[in-house]
Amino acid sequence: MVSEDGVRMQTARKVFTLVAGWALVLVGTAALLLPGPGLLLLLAGLIVLSQQYVWAARRVEPMKARAFDAAEQGVRTGPRIAASVASACAVMGAGVVWGLDPTIGTWGPIGPRLPFGGWATGLSLILSGLIALALIGYSIRRFRGR
C-alpha cells in the first residue's frame, strides 16, 4: 500500500517530467530557427518524455542519429568550423550589446524598447554562445579526431 505522500511524490515527479520534457521540445523547436542547438534540445526533450510516452521512446534513436549527423556535418571542414565559431561569437557579442543598451531603434511595430531586455536577455545570449562553443569543441573532438 502506497502512502498519500508517496502518491503525491509520484504525481509531482510525473508532472515535472512532462513539463520539463515538453519545455525542451518547444525550446528545441524554436532553436531550429533561432540560434541554438535545436536538434540536441529536441533529443533531450524526447529522452525526458520517453519516460512517460512510448511514442517518444521510439523517436529517441532516430533523433539521436540526426543530431549526431548534423554535428558531424557542422565540423566536416575548416570553413564550417570557422563560420560556427564566428556565429557563436556574434551571438555572445549581441548579448553584451543588448545588456549594455537594451533600447533598440523603431522598426515597424517594434521599438524603441522591448518588454524584455537588459542583462537578463544579454546573459541568456552569452550563455547560448558559450554552449554553442562547447558543443563545437565536443563535435571537433568526437568527429574530427577519428
Side-chain angles (χ1 to χ4, degrees):
M1 187 162 121
V2 179
S3 69
E4 283 186 42
D5 288 339
V7 171
R8 284 188 192 131
M9 284 300 293
Q10 286 177 333
T11 303
R13 186 175 294 126
K14 184 175 182 176
V15 168
F16 177 78
T17 300
L18 291 174
V19 169
W22 283 111
L24 285 167
V25 167
L26 289 173
V27 172
T29 302
L32 290 173
L33 303 172
L34 302 170
L39 286 176
L40 294 175
L41 289 171
L42 277 172
L43 175 61
L46 287 175
I47 290 170
V48 171
L49 290 175
S50 71
Q51 298 174 24
Q52 301 293 327
Y53 298 115
V54 174
W55 64 264
R58 285 194 308 255
R59 287 172 176 79
V60 167
E61 284 306 315
M63 182 61 68
K64 182 178 178 182
R66 282 188 191 159
F68 282 123
D69 186 50
E72 185 176 9
Q73 293 295 322
V75 295
R76 183 160 283 173
T77 66
R80 286 184 183 182
I81 295 170
S84 296
V85 169
S87 296
C89 291
V91 168
M92 290 189 302
V96 170
V97 169
W98 202 318
L100 293 173
D101 185 17
T103 58
I104 60 170
T106 301
W107 183 60
I110 299 174
R113 185 167 177 89
L114 294 173
F116 52 88
W119 280 110
T121 302
L123 289 174
S124 70
L125 289 171
I126 293 168
L127 180 61
S128 294
L130 291 172
I131 290 170
L133 289 174
L135 291 171
I136 292 166
Y138 170 78
S139 297
I140 289 171
R141 263 189 321 181
R142 178 176 173 118
F143 300 114
R144 290 188 59 104
R146 288 190 217 174

